[in-house]
Amino acid sequence: MTTFRASEVTDIPLASQTQGLIDAVLAGHDALPALVTAESTFTRVQLREAARAAAAGLYAMGLRRGDAMAVWLPNGPAWMQLLCAAAHLGVLVVPISTRYKAPEVRHLLEVSQARALFAPRRFLDTDYAEVALALQAELASLQQVVALEDCDRFIEYAQPSGVRVAPDPGQGHDLMCCFSTSGTTGFPKLAAHDHASIVRHAQHVSQALDIRAADAVLCALPLFGVFGFMTALGALAGAAACILVPVFDASEAAHLIERHGITHVVGADAMFDAMLQVHGVNFSTLRHGVQADFVGLTLPVTERADALQCRFTGTYGSSECFSLMAFHPWEAPAAQRAKAGGVPIDPLISVRVVDPESGHLLGEGQAGELQIRGPNVLAGYLNNPQATAKAFTEDGWFRSGDLAQMEGAGFIYLARMGDSLRLRGFLVNPAEIESSLMQHAQVQGAQVVGVNVPGEGDVAVAYVLCDTSATESQLLAYCRDRMAAYKVPRRIIAIDAFPAINGPNGNKIQKRVLREMARTALGL
């Protein structure tokens, strides 16, 4: 296990040499709270100072501009401290879901070539340090592992002495953070964004949400995802406090609103449906809420919030184009604000809808592929130039793969054009689950489809070709050991052959038939 002392550092890039994340997002309002946990409150100046000390520590570890480091931590001050510290140095942060199991973590470490991994020693009764050390033994690129005993506090470093400026501090065009996105070959890609675009988007989020100094924002979404990441950065850009929640519980979150005078909430419709039904809570401090439509409850949530004098809006975003990219006008009717989509929050963001086959531009009300251009668009998929090239049109627009239609000054998101699933709020490509199942010795083929269950959202059902010796319970246990819990199928059903049709390009599996079979299997 790696340990280090920042006092040993003699050369580090200083924040004063570059307009970094701390300078742009944390300037001013020194005494206001920046990060609030169940046990502690840390001010903006404390976060700045802790990040500078951590930058010295990272430099002592040998991390330099252009390197990558992985952060496999729950929401907490240590997560934000490491992000800001890495930004000082021009080091890329690779967030990893705390729900991921070893094979998923290994893939991200291999793709990013991360030189260091920060993990909790234990979290949710799991020994993360043991897994991290095992991965370090397997991966030559992973040179150091740091296990943290307490993620709810800053990592403590001695202040460096005899510091002089290093010649190569982080710059605005340096890659700063990347986010996992649904892959096409069984594993996620990493959508990378540079420093300047992250800071710019955070500032526009704070403006669009009317976040003011001394406001408080509920940060219950995980920081390792772009949705939670931009919620926290937008809060800090507006000089609001991030109320950090490592594990979401609807009743606890509702009471946090009253306890901390929370003014803004961002999350999924199912979260707010449960929170707003908690009895005995005073929600009067709430001004704005932003919700993603994951389980079809956005309209009742919006109407319930309106009755509380709090305006909710739908939104749109992705790992490639940032979350919170578009909102509906606050004065719009509830039925409109409940829809996914909206008007881009940054005047430099442009959207268009095109026919996916001809590429012709479509008019208002016509459904086609949503394409996006602007400073919010990813710099590229990390270490994957082929995927990056494929993601853009010849004239430089990002292909979202989403079905949408233009409406007024904005757009409405309709659905994914492909077969991706939204499982418990996370976008998952079925190929990820299929690939894992295919690694089981008794499985010769796997197909995964989604069934939309009212009030729950997408549920995954897997169909497999396998030896009769493998039971459904064994295959489910196999999945639980190899993938995040939200990816584990509800059912794994063995069949003799996949339904297929002979088309011009060969046999094609009929996903539609499998979906109908899955609905029956789930009793729908």
Side-chain angles (χ1 to χ4, degrees):
M1 197 69 60
T2 299
T3 59
F4 49 87
R5 290 175 52 81
S7 57
E8 298 169 355
V9 181
T10 57
D11 296 82
I12 63 169
L14 295 181
S16 59
Q17 303 301 308
T18 180
Q19 180 64 11
L21 177 72
I22 293 178
D23 305 278
V25 173
L26 288 176
H29 303 286
D30 287 359
L32 288 181
L35 308 174
V36 178
T37 72
E39 304 294 334
S40 305
T41 297
F42 301 95
T43 65
R44 293 167 67 82
V45 69
Q46 286 176 319
L47 175 54
R48 291 203 303 269
E49 292 174 349
R52 290 190 178 100
L58 297 179
Y59 198 84
M61 291 173 64
L63 290 168
R64 299 292 185 269
R65 183 184 178 196
D67 287 340
M69 71 180 209
V71 177
W72 192 22
L73 299 173
N75 287 9
W79 208 112
M80 296 302 300
Q81 178 192 19
L82 289 170
L83 173 71
C84 295
H88 270 310
L89 303 176
V91 170
L92 173 67
V93 171
V94 182
I96 298 180
S97 169
T98 52
R99 297 171 175 82
Y100 274 9
K101 302 297 174 63
E104 298 163 307
V105 177
R106 180 191 176 108
H107 169 71
L108 297 187
L109 294 172
E110 287 179 325
V111 170
S112 65
Q113 292 294 291
R115 295 184 59 197
L117 171 63
F118 289 81
R121 192 170 294 279
R122 294 193 65 84
F123 178 63
L124 296 179
D125 297 323
T126 298
D127 191 334
Y128 283 72
E130 181 180 29
V131 176
L133 285 172
L135 289 170
Q136 184 184 19
E138 299 173 6
L139 300 172
S141 56
L142 184 59
Q143 298 174 2
Q144 302 184 72
V145 166
V146 180
L148 304 184
E149 297 287 352
D150 186 357
C151 300
D152 283 340
R153 294 185 176 277
F154 292 135
I155 306 170
E156 295 184 1
Y157 302 89
Q159 290 298 317
S161 58
V163 175
R164 63 181 184 274
V165 179
D168 199 24
Q171 302 295 324
H173 59 269
D174 289 333
L175 296 181
M176 177 180 161
C177 197
C178 55
F179 305 98
S180 298
T181 185
S182 184
T184 57
T185 58
F187 282 107
K189 300 187 292 291
L190 287 171
H193 295 267
D194 64 37
H195 195 131
S197 66
I198 288 176
V199 169
R200 178 184 177 91
H201 196 72
Q203 291 169 332
H204 277 89
V205 167
S206 71
Q207 294 167 10
L209 288 178
D210 186 30
I211 296 176
R212 310 167 192 167
D215 279 350
V217 179
L218 180 67
C219 295
L221 294 168
L223 294 170
F224 57 72
V226 69
F227 207 3
F229 178 91
M230 271 304 169
T231 298
L233 268 289
L236 293 176
C242 297
I243 312 302
L244 297 169
V245 178
V247 180
F248 176 76
D249 175 85
S251 178
E252 177 190 358
H255 286 91
L256 286 175
I257 292 173
E258 183 175 15
R259 188 178 311 144
H260 295 287
I262 288 174
T263 55
H264 296 73
V265 291
V266 178
D269 52 353
M271 294 170 57
F272 300 135
D273 179 62
M275 287 168 56
L276 294 178
Q277 294 189 60
V278 176
H279 296 294
V281 175
N282 182 354
F283 295 107
S284 62
T285 59
L286 283 178
R287 292 205 313 271
H288 290 308
V290 181
Q291 61 178 332
D293 185 353
F294 289 166
V295 297
L297 295 173
T298 55
L299 183 55
V301 167
T302 301
E303 292 174 337
R304 197 175 303 134
D306 279 357
L308 296 170
Q309 305 300 310
C310 172
R311 287 287 182 170
F312 268 61
T313 178
T315 187
Y316 175 84
S318 67
S319 295
E320 291 92 343
C321 298
F322 290 140
S323 60
L324 309 176
M325 188 194 99
F327 302 144
H328 295 288
W330 301 114
E331 65 275 11
Q336 179 181 345
R337 284 183 284 113
K339 297 177 181 178
V343 179
I345 64 172
D346 184 336
L348 294 186
I349 297 175
S350 300
V351 297
R352 69 183 186 186
V353 174
V354 304
D355 184 290
E357 295 184 359
S358 68
H360 293 159
L361 195 65
L362 298 178
E364 185 167 346
Q366 295 179 289
E369 184 186 37
L370 179 70
Q371 297 183 350
I372 304 163
R373 185 169 64 184
N376 62 313
V377 175
L378 79 164
Y381 292 112
L382 190 64
N383 297 325
N384 194 340
Q386 294 83 6
T388 301
K390 187 178 179 181
F392 289 88
T393 65
E394 291 183 0
D395 55 349
W397 291 73
F398 174 73
R399 309 176 192 268
S400 72
D402 289 331
L403 192 70
Q405 64 186 37
M406 299 301 294
E407 182 177 281
F411 66 95
I412 301 297
Y413 165 83
L414 301 174
R416 285 292 291 170
M417 294 182 65
D419 292 320
S420 293
L421 309 177
R422 182 68 74 171
L423 303 178
R424 286 166 54 182
F426 296 92
L427 188 63
V428 178
N429 192 304
E432 293 184 49
I433 306 173
E434 293 164 0
S435 177
S436 289
L437 279 168
M438 288 287 289
Q439 294 179 46
H440 191 284
Q442 274 71 53
V443 175
Q444 289 80 48
Q447 290 290 315
V448 174
V449 294
V451 175
N452 191 271
V453 178
E456 187 175 359
D458 286 348
V459 170
V461 176
Y463 286 91
V464 295
L465 308 178
C466 70
D467 297 341
T468 56
S469 59
T471 66
E472 182 176 14
S473 60
Q474 289 172 336
L475 293 175
L476 287 169
Y478 177 82
C479 288
R480 293 189 190 100
D481 288 337
R482 295 185 62 82
M483 63 184 72
Y486 64 84
K487 297 180 186 177
V488 177
R490 181 68 52 86
R491 294 287 310 278
I492 301 178
I493 303 170
I495 56 177
D496 294 329
F498 298 127
I501 186 171
N502 186 19
N505 299 310
N507 288 339
K508 181 178 180 181
I509 294 174
Q510 293 182 292
K511 291 271 191 176
R512 175 186 58 80
V513 176
L514 289 176
R515 291 189 188 96
E516 289 303 316
M517 293 168 57
R519 288 183 60 83
T520 301
L522 295 180
L524 299 175

